[in-house]
């Protein structure tokens, strides 16, 4: 089916056939399947009222899922060297998309935020694309300027010349959550890239100072304080969080049963997007919620291990990319779960693999494909400083003639 994509060896077409990290693939597919089930359950009432079709959001989510898996099949075929060469192009494309979304008539405003570009019936969220492209660019920079980053202030601050304008564009939407996740991933990549503790500590202090300044805005300050006691204004500013906590309480240990949530019936706003985890906890209980958290921990730790394996194989671009993608997942996971259980103020961040949202779902599938490609290249030592492979090394093995030199080599 994908024969036109076979000019390069890949995990889809290799000497071993379908050759992927099964554990990582199985974990993410389990989350994608669980997400489809929960979107189907959490969105039926709102879909029936808004569109007349109870399965409207489920069908759209399934379409996005198929698009994401198709994009992943293409991305897993592309050598990492191609991504490394195109780092600047991707960065410029990301900045261009972030600028476009702020242009009146191009960007679409939803709930007071200009975060989407409309393409007919579909919306594209540039911030989701920009985060991944920023990771790829920064991974390439850390490879090119490794010594400079470790030994000089200039090498340390240069990436922020690019990241700060991107952050300003994200805050103009506004999308504070995406800004925090992007900078968190960038900071982790710089630390793992060898930045000294003193410079890293200074960066953390500057980041904390920037957050303190940003939350002085009355709107953001209200959101920062309301989550501390949502019951003080249960039917006002604390309504969303109080309804999410009620969902957790109703779920108890084993839940009320799949499809039997009460909170999704217009009590809990955004039940199939930002607060799908609350509906999951209500229907599947604490046990189901902990199993879901366990799946997230597994895929995030696996992604970090893929980066570690690549670094040990001296595939540094692959390693830094894997670290960055892992921390994007970790950041969104921690923030979304924290919001759902009342540990963090409300943010418009989806739960990776589970929440309804086309751009987020497609980008999660693409990130998974990049990690699978990294693991495969690492295992086959493609791109290592100590080895140089090409397609002929992965060609189908032909029968050897008796007594040939190559047969003798194989025998040894």
């Amino acid at each position: 089916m994908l024969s036109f994509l076979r000019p390069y060896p890949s995990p889809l077409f290799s000497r071993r056939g379908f050759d992927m990290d099964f554990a990582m693939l199985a974990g993410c597919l389990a989350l994608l399947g669980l997400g489809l089930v929960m979107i189907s359950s959490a969105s039926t009432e709102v879909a029936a009222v808004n569109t007349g079709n109870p399965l409207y959001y489920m069908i759209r989510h399934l379409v996005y899922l198929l698009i994401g898996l198709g994009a992943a099949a293409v991305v897993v075929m592309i050598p990492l060297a191609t991504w490394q060469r195109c780092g600047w192009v991707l960065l410029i494309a990301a900045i261009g998309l972030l600028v476009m979304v702020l242009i009146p008539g191009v960007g679409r405003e939803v709930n007071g935020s200009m975060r989407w570009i409309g393409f007919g019936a579909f919306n594209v969220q540039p911030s989701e694309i920009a985060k991944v492209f920023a990771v790829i660019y920064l991974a390439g920079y850390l490879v090119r300027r490794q010594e400079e980053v470790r030994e000089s202030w200039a090498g340390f601050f240069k990436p922020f010349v690019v990241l700060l304008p991107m952050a300003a564009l994200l805050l103009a939407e506004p999308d504070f959550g995406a800004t925090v996740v992007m900078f968190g991933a960038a900071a982790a990549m710089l630390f793992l890239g060898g930045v000294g503790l003193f410079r890293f500590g200074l960066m953390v202090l500057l980041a904390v100072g920037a957050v303190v300044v940003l939350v002085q805005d009355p709107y953001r300050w209200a959101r920062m304080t309301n989550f501390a006691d949502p019951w003080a204004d249960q039917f006002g500013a604390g309504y969303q969080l109080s309804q999410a906590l009620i969902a957790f309480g109703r779920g108890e240990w084993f839940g009320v049963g799949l499809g039997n949530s009460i909170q999704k019936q217009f009590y809990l706003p955004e039940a199939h997007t930002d607060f799908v985890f609350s509906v999951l906890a209500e229907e599947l209980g604490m046990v189901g919620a902990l199993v879901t958290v366990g799946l997230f921990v597994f895929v995030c730790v696996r992604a970090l291990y893929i980066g570690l394996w690549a670094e040990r194989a001296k595939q540094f671009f692959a390693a830094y990319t894997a670290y960055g993608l892992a921390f994007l997942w970790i950041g969104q996971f921690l923030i979304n779960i924290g919001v759902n259980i009342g540990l963090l103020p409300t943010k418009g961040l989806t739960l990776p693999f589970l929440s309804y949202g086309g751009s987020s779902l497609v980008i999660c599938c693409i990130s998974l494909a990049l990690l699978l490609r990294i693991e495969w290249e690492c295992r086959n030592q493609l791109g290592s400083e100590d080895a140089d492979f090409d397609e002929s090394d992965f060609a189908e093995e032909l029968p050897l003639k008796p007594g040939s030199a190559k047969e003798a080599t194989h025998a040894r």
Side-chain angles (χ1 to χ4, degrees):
M1 182 175 65
L2 296 174
S3 58
F4 67 97
L5 292 173
R6 296 189 64 167
Y8 300 103
S10 76
L12 290 179
F13 303 110
S14 71
R15 186 173 56 187
R16 302 182 184 93
F18 189 80
D19 184 24
M20 291 191 185
D21 181 359
F22 177 76
M24 184 66 166
L25 182 62
C28 290
L29 288 179
L31 287 171
L32 289 171
L34 179 61
L36 180 61
V37 171
M38 292 313 305
I39 295 303
S40 303
S41 174
S43 65
T44 50
E45 278 74 15
V46 66
V49 171
N50 292 343
T51 69
N53 179 7
L55 301 179
Y56 176 79
Y57 291 112
M58 185 273 284
I59 293 171
R60 285 178 64 91
H61 189 80
L62 181 59
V63 170
Y64 284 126
L65 178 57
L66 294 175
I67 293 172
L69 293 176
V74 175
V75 169
V76 81
M77 304 286 292
I78 302 174
L80 289 173
T82 302
W83 294 101
Q84 186 172 2
R85 288 194 301 268
C86 295
W88 270 103
V89 177
L90 298 176
L91 180 69
I92 293 170
I95 294 174
L97 288 171
L98 292 177
V99 171
M100 285 177 61
V101 78
L102 298 175
I103 299 175
V106 177
R108 285 186 178 178
E109 183 175 348
V110 180
N111 296 330
S113 298
M114 294 279 287
R115 299 181 185 176
W116 293 269
I117 298 175
F119 293 94
F122 298 96
N123 291 328
V124 174
Q125 191 171 359
S127 60
E128 295 290 341
I129 302 172
K131 287 183 292 187
V132 173
F133 285 2
V135 164
I136 292 173
Y137 162 76
L138 186 56
Y141 175 83
L142 289 173
V143 172
R144 294 191 305 271
R145 306 286 185 179
Q146 192 171 50
E147 294 301 321
E148 189 178 356
V149 168
R150 293 178 177 180
E151 297 177 2
S152 72
W153 286 95
F156 171 66
F157 280 114
K158 280 180 182 178
F160 294 100
V161 175
V162 173
L163 294 177
L164 287 175
M166 292 182 69
L169 292 169
L170 287 170
L171 291 173
E173 295 181 4
D175 195 345
F176 186 69
T179 307
V180 171
V181 170
M182 184 183 72
F183 265 85
M189 291 173 69
L190 285 168
F191 180 73
L192 294 172
V195 171
L197 283 176
F198 176 74
R199 278 175 287 171
F200 182 77
L202 177 62
M203 177 178 62
V204 171
L205 290 175
L206 291 174
V208 171
V211 170
V212 171
V213 171
L214 288 171
V215 299
Q216 298 306 310
D217 177 81
Y219 171 72
R220 293 195 182 100
W221 182 250
R223 296 185 74 173
M224 287 289 292
T225 54
N226 287 333
F227 85 99
D229 186 13
W231 308 107
D233 190 9
Q234 181 180 352
F235 298 103
Y239 178 78
Q240 200 168 29
L241 178 55
S242 62
Q243 295 300 317
L245 294 176
I246 290 172
F248 277 91
R250 291 194 75 252
E252 298 184 352
W253 283 103
F254 299 102
V256 297
L258 187 63
N260 294 328
S261 168
I262 298 298
Q263 294 307 105
K264 69 182 180 182
Q265 298 179 11
F266 302 98
Y267 292 100
L268 179 60
E270 310 294 340
H272 61 296
T273 55
D274 299 346
F275 284 87
V276 69
F277 189 74
S278 297
V279 177
L280 183 149
E282 183 183 4
E283 295 189 348
L284 303 183
M286 182 62 70
V287 172
L290 290 177
V291 170
T292 304
V293 170
L295 277 173
F296 273 112
V297 170
F298 171 76
V299 298
C300 290
V301 171
R302 187 76 177 184
L304 290 173
Y305 266 104
I306 288 173
L308 178 62
W309 297 332
E311 188 171 6
R312 287 176 175 173
K314 298 185 179 180
Q315 300 174 13
F316 295 111
F317 173 77
Y320 298 141
T321 300
Y323 290 144
L325 295 175
F327 280 105
L328 288 181
W329 287 358
I330 292 170
Q332 286 196 222
F333 163 69
L334 291 177
I335 291 175
N336 185 278
I337 299 294
V339 167
N340 274 256
I341 63 178
L343 290 179
L344 294 173
T346 305
K347 289 291 160 206
L349 278 178
T350 56
L351 186 59
F353 297 104
L354 258 71
S355 293
Y356 176 81
S359 298
S360 174
L361 188 62
V362 172
I363 291 300
C364 282
C365 292
I366 289 174
S367 300
L368 168 62
L370 283 169
L371 288 166
L372 292 173
R373 179 80 197 195
I374 290 169
E375 189 275 337
W376 181 80
E377 289 199 8
C378 172
R379 184 157 34 88
N380 291 284
Q381 298 185 354
L382 286 171
S384 171
E385 290 183 353
D386 298 330
D388 186 18
F389 290 78
D390 57 30
E391 184 181 0
S392 62
D393 293 291
F394 296 88
E396 297 289 340
E397 289 189 350
L398 298 176
L400 300 176
K401 294 181 180 180
S404 65
K406 192 172 184 179
E407 184 186 34
T409 303
H410 276 257
R412 287 197 296 268

